[in-house]
């Protein structure tokens, strides 16, 4: 029994201190969009990949086709599992609805989420854009607007996530022709233990919130 307990403790500590590395890449060239997300643990021994090719306007109605690729491998013996599914606006709405329900049921959830997000480390941030509308004056104005959007985003992003790198951004005006090409790349890391602690805190606050609501109901009665 002692060895079983020690084994469980070691497994828990291993999971608790495991760091997850997430790479997010978004490219837009002309009318084509491509999103690639990759998550890995234990120096890439286990990798989870999501590919979302060519997001078209009709995809907003029919749902976005997502390719999931899970790799659990050693350098000599890779094992790959693939799965394709479609993420629809209805599923996104249900997910958002559940989040708002959770927010209403958990006390102080905003502070818990903010403290947890602050423990996420951003190790690389790159965002390049090439824009042109066919007119030099309008292109110059639009370039300034995009710069303002990017700096505002970085300001908000840095309030929630810890930046461990200097963001690299640029906006290149294309004075001849119409262009809207962009490339975004970001690497973040977080420890699974921080997510576990956040889940425990949310569970505790959820129970406490239900007791408080029940006590207020009895008091009013």
């Amino acid at each position: 029994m002692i060895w079983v307990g020690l084994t469980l403790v070691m497994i828990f500590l291993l999971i608790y201190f495991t760091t997850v590395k997430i790479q997010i890449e978004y490219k837009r060239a002309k009318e084509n969009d491509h999103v690639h997300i990759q998550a890995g643990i234990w120096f890439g021994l286990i990798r989870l990949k999501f590919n979302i090719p060519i997001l078209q306007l009709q995809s907003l109605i029919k749902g976005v086709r997502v390719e999931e690729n899970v790799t659990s491998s050693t350098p000599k013996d890779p094992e790959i599992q693939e799965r394709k599914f479609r993420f629809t606006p209805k599923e996104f709405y249900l997910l958002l609805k559940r989040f708002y329900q959770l927010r209403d049921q958990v006390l102080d959830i905003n502070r818990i989420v903010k403290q947890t997000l602050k423990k996420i480390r951003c190790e690389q941030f790159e965002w390049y854009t090439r824009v042109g509308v066919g007119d030099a004056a309008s292109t110059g104005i639009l370039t300034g607007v995009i710069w303002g959007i990017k700096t505002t985003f970085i300001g908000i992003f840095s309030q929630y996530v810890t930046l461990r790198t200097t963001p690299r951004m640029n906006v290149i005006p294309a004075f001849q022709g119409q262009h809207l090409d962009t490339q975004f790349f970001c690497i973040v890391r977080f420890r699974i233990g921080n997510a576990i602690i956040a889940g425990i805190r949310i569970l505790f606050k959820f129970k406490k919130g239900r007791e408080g609501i029940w006590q207020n109901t009895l008091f009013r009665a």
Side-chain angles (χ1 to χ4, degrees):
M1 292 298 294
I2 296 178
W3 288 107
V4 174
L6 290 176
T7 302
L8 293 176
V9 171
M10 292 298 295
I11 294 175
F12 175 79
L13 291 177
L14 178 63
I15 296 175
Y16 184 88
F17 288 103
T18 295
T19 300
V20 180
K21 177 183 178 182
I22 300 178
Q23 299 181 8
I24 304 172
E25 184 179 11
Y26 168 70
K27 291 183 179 180
R28 176 180 175 84
K30 296 182 179 180
E31 299 297 329
N32 297 331
D33 298 77
H34 183 85
V35 178
H36 176 75
I37 302 175
Q38 177 176 308
I41 61 174
W42 299 327
F43 303 100
L45 184 63
I46 298 178
R47 295 191 301 269
L48 179 65
K49 298 180 181 179
F50 293 95
N51 292 303
I52 309 175
I54 309 177
L55 300 181
Q56 297 177 343
L57 182 61
Q58 63 178 359
S59 297
L60 298 176
I61 300 175
K62 297 181 179 180
V64 179
R65 180 169 162 266
V66 181
E67 297 178 2
E68 179 185 356
N69 189 320
V70 182
T71 304
S72 176
S73 64
T74 61
K76 297 182 179 180
D77 186 22
E79 180 181 352
I80 300 175
Q81 299 178 359
E82 295 184 355
R83 184 170 67 94
K84 297 181 180 180
F85 61 94
R86 190 171 291 274
F87 189 74
T88 64
K90 182 179 179 181
E91 293 174 345
F92 176 77
Y93 171 76
L94 293 176
L95 186 64
L96 192 63
K97 184 178 180 180
R98 291 173 183 173
F99 171 78
Y100 283 119
Q101 290 176 347
L102 180 65
R103 187 190 65 176
D104 294 336
Q105 293 175 345
V106 178
L107 297 175
D108 209 14
I109 188 173
N110 292 332
R111 185 169 64 90
I112 296 174
V113 172
K114 188 173 182 179
Q115 290 177 349
T116 304
L117 289 177
K118 200 61 180 178
K119 295 178 181 179
I120 298 177
R121 306 188 307 272
C122 178
E123 299 180 346
Q124 187 172 349
F125 188 99
E126 299 179 2
W127 191 0
Y128 304 106
T129 304
R130 183 169 177 260
V131 61
V133 294
D135 178 73
S138 300
T139 298
I141 295 174
L142 184 58
T143 300
V145 171
I146 295 177
W147 264 117
I149 293 174
K150 288 189 176 185
T151 53
T152 302
F153 176 83
I154 284 294
I156 298 174
F157 184 74
S158 61
Q159 291 181 1
Y160 292 92
V161 177
T162 301
L163 287 175
R164 292 293 181 87
T165 183
T166 301
R168 298 180 179 179
M169 299 187 300
N170 195 9
V171 181
I172 303 173
F175 295 107
Q176 296 180 354
Q178 297 182 355
H179 300 275
L180 181 55
D181 303 333
T182 188
Q183 182 176 357
F184 175 85
F185 184 76
C186 180
I187 297 179
V188 297
R189 292 181 186 268
F190 70 92
R191 185 178 295 171
I192 294 180
N194 294 329
I196 294 176
I197 292 175
I200 294 174
R201 293 178 62 188
I202 289 175
L203 183 62
F204 175 76
K205 292 290 185 177
F206 177 76
K207 292 183 177 181
K208 187 176 180 180
R210 292 184 62 182
E211 292 175 358
I213 294 174
W214 178 250
Q215 291 176 0
N216 290 336
T217 302
L218 292 177
F219 180 77
R220 290 177 181 177

